[in-house]
Amino acid sequence: MTRWTRKDLLGLEELSEKEIRLVLETARSFKEISARPIKKVPTLRGKTVVNLFFEPSTRTRVSFELAAKRLSADAMHIAVQGSSLAKGETLKDMARNIEAMKVDILVMRHPSPGSCHLLARSLKSSVVNAGDGSHEHPTQGLLDMMTIQEKKGKLEGLKVSIIGDILHSRVARSNLWGLLKLGAEVTLCGPKTLLPVECGRLNARTTCDLEEAIAGADVLNILRVQLERQQGCLFPSIREYAQKFCITPERLRKAKKDLLILHPGPMNRGVEIAPEVADGPYSVILDQVTNGVAVRMAVLFLVSQVNRAKEERDEVSV
Amino acid sequence: MKFLFKGGRVIDPKNKRDERCDLLVERGKIVQVGKHLSPNGSQVIDADGLWVVPGLMDMHVHLRQPGREDKETILTGSRAAAKGGFTSVLPMANTDPVVDNRGAVEFLLSEAKRVGLVNVFPVAAVTKGLKGEELSEIGELASVGCVALSDDGKPIHNAKLMRHALEYAAMFGLPIIAHEQDPSLFEGGVMHEGYTSTVLGLRGIPSVCESIMVARDIELVKFVGGKVHFAHVSSERSIELIREAKRQGLAVTCETAPHYFSLTDKDISCFDANFKMNPPLRSEEDVEAVKKALKDGTIDCIATDHAPHTEQEKDTEFDAAPFGIIGLESSLGLCLSLVHTGVLTPSELVSRMSLAPATLLGLPKGTLSIGMDADITVIDPDETWTLRSEDFESKSKNSPFVGRTLKGRAKITMVSGRIVMKDGKITKGD
């Protein structure tokens, strides 16, 4: 059995296949807790989890908060408007102050890639990345994989197409690393301007042809079009994006009959995904959300065990 | 005071000398170079096994004074230069206030004189306040000692303004040092656009951002004349354009910095902002092109773009950190690796670090000819040492090379016949 040895969860790129499987297995065992009438276990009683969010979020924030509470940890949320630097305080100082209040786990979302790495390096508390700019969103990648595995029974050999704004998507990156490590075949599809440069070197197929991405795919993971990141020149209009890239029932006519449709949310209905598809038989979008809580419980549990083991060792040595 | 450098390998590309001989300094000047010179009452410096070369010149540094004395001052920057083997530096004009007027130039010169370590040759702003709107009083700036013009840090976007700056500066023989970067292609970027930026999710700065402006300014030089010196060239395509322009006989020159042949964008994987500079670290192909161009002379010289920043500014989110790294104290060690790996001959390296910048700026430096100021650097090319943060003379420590073991370093820095650094210690004695 693999042991979890990481204080932090920063991304899926650096995890091994075994570590990813361990999180997914742990998440499966935690999932049942949320289905009980009394949705609480004492696993993390006495631990403190702080959500430090520099970007607005509903789903991820609530999901982490519920995950912590269902494990009996004390959870609180701090929403920071804009950059901490605006107030003159550096991110590190802010995090150190929070740590000084003896917080065990810091869950952070931040617009800057690598910001969680910065904190992980300088804090003793565990740091969990809840999305760092366009870099990674590891718990989203994990919950997507959990959902696929649950429905398909496996990930090996599955054809997964990630469709949309790959350039700005941390979800795409985390999915890519995780899926490749677990043996899936990945296709990245989007308009040329939203495919990052040299993404051909990522061990994934890349294409601008939506039909090609749909044909033979077992899973479509449809990304949100991030209107706020388009800088005015990446595609002409929402209208044209929808015309060319919206996943509609017509476009799915030639798709596999047991196709799964994933979307990390929040959806722009009628832009990247047609309402009939979002609510249709292929859609597992709400299963993703359910699994999100289980995955986050697993992650909070696993990282907390590392510092706990260390604390116990320290006590012994005293 | 007389000094006799005894038995060193005297490398003087201007006079095509690279041989073991002696060199005599008297009253601040080089008075004799040859074999078996007699001490004759001079202080003898045993240079056996060492190189004796014309003082190194770094034509691109930021000394931050006035305005950001928390990062660097003329004193600490001069100490860093002396420690790194540099006898002359050219501070860029992007201080606060900007060096765009006589008063600012006179302050720099008088402060440098008071410090009394290395030669400081001011670079003045092309445009008032670096705003890219109106020309500075270039004629007066030239008359009070500016040796070049640059809006470094704030590239000149307006092609018409650049045209007239070239025409006007040409009357005074001053080159314009151009930081080439197209504003729209640059916008928001923090690292080289390539595979690594794709993986890290950091916004990319494509190499065409640089080369497109290099192309523009080559066209302008071709059209109106004048002299352009391209600062810190980083990309293969820029180099190709410059090589072609030189072949056509246009008055263009360029520099690169040690990091552009020592590191690539791959080194940024840990999000350490000490690897963040502008232009950004580029690909392996670019690094190879830089080395090749240093060899064939397309790249005239090596300058550090020494850019001090405080620790709190750099130890932050990669996006938020300012661009730039310090370079004065690591440059020679990194540059010597070009010799150790066979890219450059010792004479070529000395040319890139001393003769070439002096020549392109029209300064009477960079040679060991008789009668020249005794600006001399003595180098142990083989000493291995480790660059340590606590050893920096610079006020700032923002270097990606901390912890790296380098081969070769400056042992003595002499400016106008005065030893300002010996064995790593800054001295002001004569």
Side-chain angles (χ1 to χ4, degrees):
Chain A
M1 183 74 184
T2 318
R3 276 199 46 190
W4 185 264
T5 54
R6 293 173 189 270
K7 170 175 89 71
D8 315 291
L9 177 68
L10 303 176
L12 298 191
E13 188 194 357
E14 59 262 32
L15 296 195
S16 68
E17 179 202 335
K18 282 185 174 167
E19 286 173 306
I20 294 173
R21 288 193 193 280
L22 175 63
V23 185
L24 295 178
E25 276 161 35
T26 312
R28 259 198 302 282
S29 68
F30 277 133
K31 186 173 176 182
E32 170 267 330
I33 295 166
S34 297
R36 294 179 192 173
I38 294 169
K39 304 174 178 60
K40 212 174 185 72
V41 292
T43 316
L44 293 187
R45 197 172 60 198
K47 297 282 172 194
T48 313
V49 178
V50 166
N51 287 337
L52 182 58
F53 274 49
F54 290 81
E55 283 181 340
S57 158
T58 309
R59 194 176 332 261
T60 306
R61 173 215 157 149
V62 170
S63 184
F64 267 110
E65 208 163 317
L66 284 177
K69 287 180 170 164
R70 285 181 186 168
L71 293 171
S72 300
D74 296 307
M76 64 177 303
H77 184 78
I78 305 173
V80 187
Q81 296 299 315
S83 161
S84 62
L85 290 166
K87 272 196 225 158
E89 187 179 33
T90 67
L91 174 62
K92 257 177 87 171
D93 281 340
M94 181 181 237
R96 278 188 182 142
N97 276 278
I98 294 169
E99 185 182 54
M101 296 179 221
K102 306 300 174 194
V103 165
D104 300 284
I105 303 174
L106 200 63
V107 176
M108 186 166 80
R109 166 166 292 188
H110 194 283
S112 213
S115 46
C116 294
H117 297 67
L118 177 76
L119 292 196
R121 276 201 297 271
S122 48
L123 298 184
K124 288 199 198 81
S125 309
S126 293
V127 176
V128 174
N129 183 357
D132 61 331
S134 304
H135 179 228
E136 283 227 42
H137 190 354
T139 55
Q140 180 72 44
L142 289 162
L143 74 89
D144 288 348
M145 284 190 283
M146 180 178 176
T147 307
I148 298 169
Q149 199 168 42
E150 210 174 65
K151 301 290 172 187
K152 295 282 186 190
K154 59 165 189 178
L155 286 158
E156 297 78 4
L158 290 185
K159 292 190 165 65
V160 180
S161 292
I162 304 173
I163 295 164
D165 180 359
I166 311 293
L167 177 64
H168 296 108
S169 178
R170 51 194 172 212
V171 177
R173 285 171 179 79
S174 288
N175 262 280
L176 175 76
W177 300 124
L179 290 166
L180 290 178
K181 282 173 209 237
L182 268 59
E185 289 173 35
V186 180
T187 298
L188 303 173
C189 173
K192 182 76 180 138
T193 45
L194 296 179
L195 290 175
V197 294
E198 296 190 42
C199 63
R201 285 170 59 191
L202 287 167
N203 285 326
R205 184 172 66 143
T206 57
T207 178
C208 300
D209 181 349
L210 188 57
E211 214 173 303
E212 193 184 320
I214 294 173
D218 298 293
V219 179
L220 300 184
N221 198 341
I222 302 159
L223 302 174
R224 171 184 166 74
V225 175
Q226 294 171 296
L227 301 171
E228 66 279 12
R229 294 198 175 158
Q230 298 315 324
Q231 308 156 45
C233 55
L234 292 173
F235 59 84
S237 64
I238 288 294
R239 179 172 167 269
E240 180 155 313
Y241 185 88
Q243 278 176 7
K244 301 292 175 194
F245 286 93
C246 185
I247 307 299
T248 58
E250 297 75 55
R251 291 208 160 104
L252 292 181
R253 238 176 293 158
K254 285 188 202 155
K256 281 182 134 176
K257 293 301 156 217
D258 58 348
L259 178 73
L260 296 182
I261 299 272
L262 281 73
H263 190 297
M267 283 185 279
N268 297 302
R269 286 172 178 261
V271 180
E272 70 267 1
I273 187 166
E276 305 90 301
V277 174
D279 305 326
Y282 301 136
S283 170
V284 292
I285 294 170
L286 294 175
D287 300 84
Q288 288 174 270
V289 178
T290 304
N291 288 336
V293 177
V295 156
R296 286 165 184 134
M297 288 167 81
V299 168
L300 294 177
F301 169 72
L302 288 169
V303 296
S304 73
Q305 296 312 297
V306 175
N307 271 342
R308 176 177 290 180
K310 223 170 74 200
E311 280 159 24
E312 280 163 12
R313 271 203 309 280
D314 291 349
E315 275 168 32
V316 170
S317 64
V318 167
Chain B
M1 192 70 188
K2 287 162 70 175
F3 293 94
L4 179 65
F5 293 88
K6 191 90 189 141
R9 178 172 172 184
V10 176
I11 303 171
D12 182 13
K14 169 93 179 188
N15 295 305
K16 298 196 167 47
R17 186 192 293 275
D18 181 357
E19 61 177 345
R20 204 185 139 124
C21 62
D22 304 338
L23 183 145
L24 189 66
V25 168
E26 200 175 330
R27 283 192 290 276
K29 303 283 181 190
I30 293 164
V31 294
Q32 220 179 339
V33 184
K35 292 194 193 278
H36 313 299
L37 301 185
S38 95
N40 222 346
S42 58
Q43 186 181 328
V44 175
I45 295 167
D46 180 12
D48 186 36
L50 306 177
W51 296 359
V52 177
V53 311
L56 306 181
M57 177 178 286
D58 187 344
M59 67 172 292
H60 193 139
V61 302
H62 298 271
L63 298 183
R64 305 294 188 215
Q65 191 180 4
R68 288 306 302 263
E69 292 83 354
D70 55 330
K71 299 185 182 197
E72 197 79 285
T73 61
I74 292 162
L75 173 64
T76 57
S78 297
R79 289 177 68 95
K83 178 129 179 217
F86 292 96
T87 56
S88 299
V89 294
L90 276 72
M92 289 291 154
N94 60 342
T95 48
D96 181 14
V98 171
V99 181
D100 61 358
N101 62 80
R102 179 183 192 135
V105 177
E106 284 172 350
F107 166 76
L108 260 182
L109 290 172
S110 74
E111 188 62 15
K113 192 171 175 193
R114 194 180 66 79
V115 166
L117 287 170
V118 301
N119 305 305
V120 174
F121 295 108
V123 176
V126 180
T127 64
K128 287 179 191 142
L130 303 173
K131 289 197 177 118
E133 292 164 3
E134 301 168 75
L135 293 179
S136 308
E137 291 174 336
I138 291 171
E140 180 169 69
L141 290 164
S143 72
V144 294
C146 287
V147 300
L149 301 164
S150 182
D151 276 6
D152 185 61
K154 294 236 179 123
I156 299 176
H157 302 147
N158 182 329
K160 181 176 176 214
L161 181 75
M162 184 66 175
R163 171 215 170 135
H164 293 314
L166 282 166
E167 290 170 325
Y168 195 83
M171 290 196 298
F172 308 97
L174 297 186
I176 292 184
I177 301 173
H179 173 142
E180 299 296 28
Q181 147 188 324
D182 177 84
S184 56
L185 289 166
F186 177 79
E187 197 188 353
V190 295
M191 71 171 289
H192 174 62
E193 181 183 284
Y195 178 74
T196 307
S197 70
T198 288
V199 169
L200 298 180
L202 289 167
R203 284 275 287 276
I205 304 169
S207 50
V208 69
C209 168
E210 175 182 278
S211 56
I212 201 168
M213 294 296 271
V214 168
R216 180 198 75 174
D217 288 344
I218 288 171
E219 285 297 306
L220 285 173
V221 169
K222 197 166 183 172
F223 192 62
V224 298
K227 284 196 281 191
V228 166
H229 175 79
F230 297 107
H232 41 54
V233 169
S234 67
S235 90
E236 182 174 17
R237 182 61 192 143
S238 301
I239 289 166
E240 286 170 7
L241 289 163
I242 294 164
R243 187 176 283 127
E244 178 55 28
K246 286 187 163 190
R247 188 152 46 217
Q248 291 178 22
L250 297 177
V252 298
T253 54
C254 71
E255 73 197 25
T256 193
H259 37 279
Y260 300 121
F261 57 76
S262 308
L263 297 170
T264 68
D265 60 340
K266 273 195 204 148
D267 293 299
I268 303 175
S269 54
C270 52
F271 294 100
D272 179 350
N274 281 332
F275 290 83
K276 179 178 176 183
M277 66 288 284
N278 182 20
L281 297 173
R282 298 212 185 265
S283 69
E284 277 163 36
E285 293 76 41
D286 293 308
V287 166
E288 286 315 305
V290 165
K291 287 183 184 171
K292 192 167 158 251
L294 276 166
K295 177 72 184 175
D296 73 14
T298 301
I299 295 179
D300 299 83
C301 61
I302 301 168
T304 64
D305 195 5
H306 180 81
H309 292 295
T310 61
E311 191 185 343
Q312 67 267 22
E313 281 176 305
K314 278 297 211 180
D315 190 13
T316 184
E317 300 96 303
F318 198 87
D319 282 340
F323 291 102
I325 63 168
I326 56 170
L328 282 167
E329 292 167 76
S330 52
S331 178
L332 181 57
L334 294 165
C335 292
L336 279 164
S337 75
L338 295 172
V339 172
H340 296 308
T341 55
V343 176
L344 297 182
T345 65
S347 182
E348 284 165 341
L349 181 71
V350 172
S351 177
R352 306 288 178 269
M353 297 187 79
S354 178
L355 174 63
T359 306
L360 74 89
L361 292 161
L363 293 170
K365 299 284 179 190
T367 88
L368 299 173
S369 303
I370 308 302
M372 296 294 292
D373 289 339
D375 288 359
I376 295 167
T377 305
V378 178
I379 297 167
D380 181 342
D382 297 317
E383 182 183 333
T384 55
W385 59 290
T386 302
L387 189 70
R388 300 191 313 170
S389 173
E390 58 268 35
D391 295 338
F392 283 125
E393 288 291 341
S394 172
K395 219 174 208 184
S396 294
K397 320 285 176 203
N398 53 310
S399 166
F401 298 108
V402 167
R404 188 185 271 229
T405 297
L406 300 170
K407 190 174 174 196
R409 74 196 306 183
K411 302 302 289 178
I412 294 174
T413 307
M414 173 179 274
V415 178
S416 291
R418 294 184 310 120
I419 292 175
V420 296
M421 187 281 290
K422 189 164 195 290
D423 295 325
K425 298 264 184 305
I426 307 301
T427 56
K428 272 184 78 174
D430 38 16

